[in-house]
Amino acid sequence: VSRSSPEDPAIRVCFANSAFSALTGFEAGEVIGESPGILVGPDTDLNDLRTIETALREGNAVTRELVLHRCDQQPFLAEATYLRHEAPDGCSWYAATFRDLSERADTATRLWRSEAWARAVVRGISQVLAIADVNGTMTWVSPSVTTRLGYEPDEIIGHTVFEFVDPEHHQMALDEWTKVARSGRQKRPTDYRIRHKDGHWVLMSVSANPQFEHPAVGGALLTLTDLSERAEAEDRLRRSEQWAQALVQGGSDLVIVTSADGRVKYASPAVKQILGYEPEGFVGIDHLDLLHPEDSALMHRVMRPNDVMEGTYEIRAQHRDGSWRVLEVAVADLLKDPAVEGIVVNVRDVTKRHKAEQLLAEQADLLEAIARGAPLEITLQKITQMIEHTIAGTFCAIGMLDTDGAIRVRAAPSLPRQVINLLDDLSPRSGPAQHLRENATAETFTVYDLREDARFRDIEVFAEHDLAACRVAPLLAPGSAELIGALTVFDVDRAQLDQIELQLMNRATNLAAIAIERRRFESTLEYQALYDNLTGLPNRTLLVSRIADSLDRTARLHTGVAVLFLDLDRFKVINDSLGHERGDQLLQMVAERLRQPLRPGDTLGRFGADEFMVVCNRIPNEGAGAAAADRFGAVLNEPFELDGGDVFVTASIGIAYAEGKDVSPESLIRKADVAMYRAKDQGRNQHVVFQEKLDNVKVEQLALEQALRTAIERCEFELHFQPVVELSDGSMTHAEALVRWHRPGHGMVMPGLFIPLAEETGLIVPLGWWVLEEACRRLAVWPEVPGKGHIEIAVNLSARQLASPELLEVVGSVLQRTEVEPHRLCFEITESDL
């Protein structure tokens, strides 16, 4: 008995009888004043304690089986009954009665252990065990059904055995079950096909042990044994025996048994196919005599009687017809095996595989050569040689489609010259060429019988060289399938090609097409890199190369080279007025005209935009260069008819002449360019020969431009003001702002020297904005003129400023910052700008 009081709310034991001591081992005096939790240990279910506590708090009596602990901490099972009573003085009394259930627990433990053992045994059995009632409905099945048949046990229980049996075996299974149910005798195992969960059938041996009267079974115990592994093993064994028999008697591999001295004791029938010998005639010979000299020494070491080197080797052996075959041999030492007493050599003919590997290696080399940009002729020749070396008695030719539509031979290392000439002379619309054009998407070779085909049998060249057949395949550009050539193979007989030879022909066709298409692509890239797309003339890159070549020749030929730089006058006006499309047409017409006076060996090119260049070789002096310029200028005198109207074009031509290799192409072009600009400055439609003083002017102009840019950044400019007066009374009406440049180290630079350069380079815009700002700033502080009021100021406005989209914004912001009234500012535009 335990109690708690308001003064001490903890529950403490206040009474325990002697039976409590006998059950728990605690003396009554030991537990008085202690908590009842003294009996709780690690095996006690705490959830049960919470349930008891809840029931007592609600005033209910509760009985529960608990695992409690004796004083020595040994657990025991007890039935505990708890009561709670509230006394008037506020104390709570608890009465707990315990009944020992240890004996029953021992029995339960033994039962649980026996059941656990049974379950473990059942789980460990690989066979499927099941219990079915008298109707065949399964009431229990072992977990192994999942491994063997894919079902979970719940998916089987409640279904009859017959639902899972192959319909072909259904009636037999039903009859067998009826006998078992009626007789109560055990059924011998019978093989049935049982349906797996995934739908396939599993062969199983099924036996039934009737236990209908057994209280724990109540049905027949079925045992299902999976026969699939046994069947597979038997099938493998059967097939291995058949394979071994076929290998020895009729297989493609050769089996040889030799004595210790290398004499053949046995040879399978495959020796006829691989080496050309009858088995009986092969027995007794020394097979090592058939080996290639380079392989014979190796096999003598391998097959030493007392030290056979077992393993697999690749050797060459001579066929009875004299040809060499590549063989893969596996050597096994069975000299001590009483059933064999010899060295067993398994031989496989790998000649075709070896040939295929060689072809793959050659094709890889060809692809690498193509990728590295090897010359096309060399690549095509390697392809033809690959075919001729592999297919005996063949002559190969590869042709490319020419501009006239004919297919011209580009590689034919072994084909007689008469046949090559005949192929080149064939019209694009005759014979194989016509067929190729009509069947440009064909994937196989077309075979022509040169002896029977009426189109070829009368051609004597074929008969003279004993050519019987011709195989032709189109070469199609990868991707576009455009016909780009043909691969032709002549043969001295009409024999069919084997699989490897056919693959070789197809791969050779693909390789040839890739090589030709790559060369065409490179030619296109080369043309695009070196020629102008619009006119077809050499571009700047090729012109520089031609000038370099010409300079190299001048030293050898003791002559000179002249570069003519032609720039069409006012072409921008023509282009803007007629449109860019008509402008391009005009450039094409000009290029065609300029070709007329061109001498052999000279080069005409388009340098860019409306600029053309002529490289004249073997020019003795500057006068000859000027005469050449006259010829090119003269062809432009006649008008060009464009859209029904006449367009007149002139050119300014600069001439640069050089002798020897001490001049670079770039410097010669620069000099011709300087001379051309001088021709434009002198009025256009003329030519100027470069002189060193022109170069000095150009250099000075470049230095002036660089100094001008620096001057704008450093504000090296100042404004001068020129008054405008009334002639009648001499009074000033307004002033004009004029910019002056104090160039460090050069003094005052007049506007006539730097204003045109600023206009040309676009520097006039920032310079003009500075002039505007400075003029307005000065104007804002000027006093009034007596009798005239505030003075006005005039600022020059360039055409570039007038066209600038920021004009209004700049002018407005300047007036706002300087607080100048707008009517006091006047812009002046020069007549040339207007």
Side-chain angles (χ1 to χ4, degrees):
V1 180
S2 304
R3 77 184 282 270
S4 65
S5 65
E7 295 81 11
D8 185 8
I11 301 174
R12 301 185 184 280
V13 177
C14 59
F15 169 77
N17 63 6
S18 59
F20 176 84
S21 299
L23 176 62
T24 65
F26 288 103
E27 294 296 333
E30 292 181 278
V31 297
I32 301 300
E34 297 290 336
S35 168
I38 196 171
L39 299 179
V40 175
D43 294 320
T44 305
D45 191 337
L46 298 181
N47 289 327
D48 288 340
L49 295 181
R50 294 189 188 99
T51 301
I52 294 170
E53 182 181 359
T54 301
L56 291 176
R57 192 177 294 118
E58 294 174 355
N60 300 323
V62 59
T63 300
R64 203 84 173 176
E65 290 185 2
L66 294 175
V67 176
L68 300 176
H69 291 74
R70 296 184 173 88
C71 65
D72 60 1
Q73 289 300 309
Q74 290 298 316
F76 68 95
L77 182 64
E79 181 184 75
T81 301
Y82 293 89
L83 296 172
R84 179 186 178 199
H85 173 69
E86 293 292 337
D89 58 0
C91 294
S92 298
W93 295 84
Y94 302 89
T97 305
F98 301 98
R99 185 161 62 89
D100 189 4
L101 299 178
S102 299
E103 184 177 349
R104 195 195 74 183
D106 291 342
T107 304
T109 300
R110 289 194 299 273
L111 178 61
W112 175 84
R113 288 177 176 173
S114 64
E115 290 177 352
W117 177 85
R119 284 194 297 269
V121 170
V122 169
R123 279 197 301 269
I125 295 175
S126 61
Q127 296 167 310
V128 178
L129 302 179
I131 296 175
D133 62 15
V134 69
N135 298 317
T137 301
M138 285 179 282
T139 59
W140 176 85
V141 66
S142 65
S144 58
V145 71
T146 304
T147 303
R148 292 299 178 183
L149 294 173
Y151 301 97
E152 294 296 332
D154 292 345
E155 297 177 285
I156 297 290
I157 295 172
H159 295 270
T160 65
V161 177
F162 315 112
E163 295 178 38
F164 302 92
V165 176
D166 187 338
E168 294 183 4
H169 298 167
H170 190 275
Q171 188 59 46
M172 179 174 65
L174 189 59
D175 294 342
E176 292 283 348
W177 183 259
T178 303
K179 293 178 182 178
V180 170
R182 288 179 179 175
S183 64
R185 291 194 296 270
Q186 185 170 346
K187 171 190 168 298
R188 292 187 305 171
T190 306
D191 295 347
Y192 295 98
R193 284 192 295 273
I194 308 299
R195 186 178 70 249
H196 192 278
K197 185 176 181 179
D198 63 11
H200 78 276
W201 297 102
V202 180
L203 183 64
M204 306 192 83
S205 174
V206 182
S207 62
N209 184 6
Q211 299 286 335
F212 296 108
E213 304 301 328
H214 194 290
V217 178
L221 179 62
L222 304 179
T223 305
L224 291 79
T225 305
D226 191 347
L227 301 180
S228 301
E229 294 178 358
R230 187 192 71 185
E232 290 178 4
E234 292 175 350
D235 184 57
R236 286 196 299 271
L237 178 61
R238 182 171 59 255
R239 282 186 292 171
S240 64
E241 292 174 349
Q242 293 173 350
W243 177 83
Q245 184 177 6
L247 177 67
V248 174
Q249 296 299 324
S252 59
D253 289 355
L254 167 63
V255 178
I256 299 174
V257 180
T258 72
S259 59
D261 60 359
R263 296 287 173 179
V264 176
K265 298 172 57 179
Y266 168 81
S268 67
V271 69
K272 173 70 175 178
Q273 177 184 351
I274 294 178
L275 294 174
Y277 293 88
E278 296 294 339
E280 297 79 8
F282 199 69
V283 174
I285 70 171
D286 187 344
H287 72 289
L288 297 178
D289 293 340
L290 303 179
L291 302 185
H292 191 280
E294 296 178 4
D295 301 328
S296 179
L298 168 65
M299 294 309 294
H300 274 93
R301 292 196 303 272
V302 168
M303 302 186 68
R304 285 180 296 192
N306 298 324
D307 187 18
V308 176
M309 298 168 58
E310 293 186 333
T312 302
Y313 307 91
E314 192 171 280
I315 60 172
R316 287 160 291 178
Q318 192 170 31
H319 193 275
R320 193 171 186 178
D321 62 9
S323 64
W324 291 99
R325 302 295 174 91
V326 181
L327 307 178
E328 183 182 83
V329 298
V331 179
D333 182 8
L334 296 180
L335 287 169
K336 297 180 180 180
D337 190 319
V340 180
E341 295 182 344
I343 300 172
V344 178
V345 183
N346 289 280
V347 182
R348 175 170 294 177
D349 189 350
V350 295
T351 305
K352 291 184 177 180
R353 188 194 73 188
H354 193 267
K355 185 185 296 184
E357 290 173 351
Q358 285 184 324
L359 291 177
L360 286 175
E362 291 182 9
Q363 290 163 26
D365 291 342
L366 282 170
L367 282 173
E368 183 178 359
I370 294 172
R372 292 180 179 273
L376 178 63
E377 286 72 13
I378 294 178
T379 301
L380 296 182
Q381 184 164 328
K382 287 183 177 180
I383 294 174
T384 60
Q385 291 172 340
M386 180 175 66
I387 293 176
E388 293 174 352
H389 293 166
T390 305
I391 308 175
T394 58
F395 303 91
C396 183
I398 297 177
M400 286 179 58
L401 194 68
D402 212 338
T403 54
D404 62 355
I407 297 177
R408 310 292 183 196
V409 175
R410 296 293 297 271
S414 304
L415 200 63
R417 170 51 58 183
Q418 299 93 321
V419 179
I420 296 176
N421 295 337
L422 180 64
L423 292 177
D424 281 343
D425 290 340
L426 285 177
S427 166
R429 297 293 177 183
S430 67
Q434 179 183 5
H435 178 85
L436 287 173
R437 190 169 295 280
E438 294 173 352
N439 301 274
T441 59
E443 297 181 353
T444 58
F445 278 77
T446 300
V447 183
Y448 297 92
D449 192 327
L450 302 181
R451 294 173 180 171
E452 301 297 332
D453 195 319
R455 294 171 292 180
F456 308 108
R457 63 189 178 194
D458 295 331
I459 299 179
E460 296 180 357
V461 172
F462 294 151
E464 289 175 3
H465 295 281
D466 198 26
L467 301 178
C470 173
R471 294 176 171 86
V472 183
L475 301 181
L476 307 179
S480 65
E482 173 191 358
L483 179 66
I484 57 176
L487 188 147
T488 306
V489 179
F490 291 93
D491 205 334
V492 295
D493 58 35
R494 195 63 171 76
Q496 296 292 324
L497 302 180
D498 61 28
Q499 189 64 31
I500 292 181
E501 292 170 340
L502 287 174
Q503 291 178 359
L504 167 64
M505 299 281 273
N506 290 329
R507 289 172 179 169
T509 302
N510 293 334
L511 288 172
I514 292 172
I516 293 174
E517 181 64 7
R518 177 184 173 88
R519 185 66 189 96
R520 293 175 68 203
F521 181 67
E522 290 174 347
S523 299
T524 301
L525 290 180
E526 183 179 348
Y527 180 85
Q528 292 174 349
L530 299 178
Y531 289 87
D532 175 53
N533 289 333
L534 180 64
T535 62
L537 297 176
N539 64 10
R540 181 190 303 246
T541 303
L542 186 54
L543 284 169
V544 172
S545 177
R546 295 286 173 85
I547 295 173
D549 294 341
S550 299
L551 290 172
D552 288 339
R553 286 194 294 269
T554 57
R556 300 196 311 269
L557 303 177
H558 304 289
T559 183
V561 57
V563 173
L564 278 56
F565 202 117
L566 292 82
D567 186 271
L568 303 184
D569 297 328
R570 300 189 182 279
F571 179 76
K572 186 177 186 303
V573 176
I574 299 174
N575 210 29
D576 292 343
S577 59
L578 299 181
H580 292 283
E581 183 178 354
R582 297 293 179 270
D584 288 346
Q585 293 179 6
L586 181 59
L587 288 174
Q588 292 172 334
M589 298 167 70
V590 169
E592 195 60 36
R593 285 269 189 97
L594 294 177
R595 285 189 176 97
Q596 296 174 9
L598 201 64
R599 302 178 306 162
D602 292 349
T603 300
L604 168 67
R606 184 184 179 201
F607 199 72
D610 57 344
E611 298 172 337
F612 294 85
M613 184 176 290
V614 182
V615 182
C616 300
N617 293 300
R618 300 184 303 280
I619 296 295
N621 50 49
E622 293 178 348
D630 287 335
R631 294 197 304 271
F632 285 99
V635 297
L636 301 178
N637 289 337
E638 294 295 325
F640 293 89
E641 183 178 350
L642 197 63
D643 278 351
D646 290 341
V647 176
F648 290 87
V649 175
T650 61
S652 299
I653 305 175
I655 306 167
Y657 175 79
E659 293 178 325
K661 297 175 59 178
D662 55 341
V663 181
S664 68
E666 291 77 11
S667 66
L668 202 58
I669 293 173
R670 184 182 60 80
K671 292 177 180 179
D673 185 37
V674 170
M676 182 271 293
Y677 274 104
R678 175 51 62 94
K680 282 190 175 295
D681 292 341
Q682 292 179 354
R684 300 183 175 87
N685 193 21
Q686 57 183 290
H687 65 261
V688 170
V689 179
F690 175 81
Q691 303 295 334
E692 289 299 328
K693 62 180 181 180
L694 296 180
D695 198 26
N696 295 336
V697 171
K698 195 72 174 178
V699 171
E700 291 177 2
Q701 188 177 15
L702 180 59
L704 186 63
E705 178 186 342
Q706 294 172 343
L708 182 60
R709 293 181 184 276
T710 304
I712 293 175
E713 295 174 359
R714 297 177 180 177
C715 295
E716 296 175 358
F717 299 94
E718 63 181 36
L719 286 186
H720 287 191
F721 296 92
Q722 176 175 300
V724 180
V725 300
E726 285 282 356
L727 293 179
S728 59
D729 58 7
S731 62
M732 184 171 66
T733 60
H734 66 277
E736 181 179 356
L738 302 174
V739 65
R740 296 294 182 265
W741 177 17
H742 273 288
R743 183 181 177 188
H746 293 76
M748 185 72 73
V749 181
M750 298 305 291
L753 293 178
F754 69 86
I755 292 297
L757 181 60
E759 289 276 7
E760 180 182 350
T761 59
L763 296 174
I764 193 65
V765 175
L767 179 58
W769 297 149
W770 179 86
V771 171
L772 174 63
E773 178 98 21
E774 183 66 15
C776 289
R777 187 183 64 80
R778 300 278 288 277
L779 179 63
V781 297
W782 281 353
E784 294 184 7
V785 177
K788 292 292 185 179
H790 288 294
I791 196 170
E792 298 177 0
I793 195 164
V795 176
N796 289 322
L797 192 68
S798 73
R800 286 181 180 267
Q801 287 176 282
L802 186 61
S804 173
E806 61 182 1
L807 174 63
L808 295 180
E809 180 182 352
V810 171
V811 173
S813 63
V814 168
L815 291 175
Q816 185 179 8
R817 284 195 302 272
T818 59
E819 298 182 350
V820 171
E821 295 87 344
H823 69 271
R824 299 179 62 193
L825 176 62
C826 174
F827 285 123
E828 291 189 357
I829 303 173
T830 64
E831 294 86 345
S832 59
D833 283 343
L834 187 59

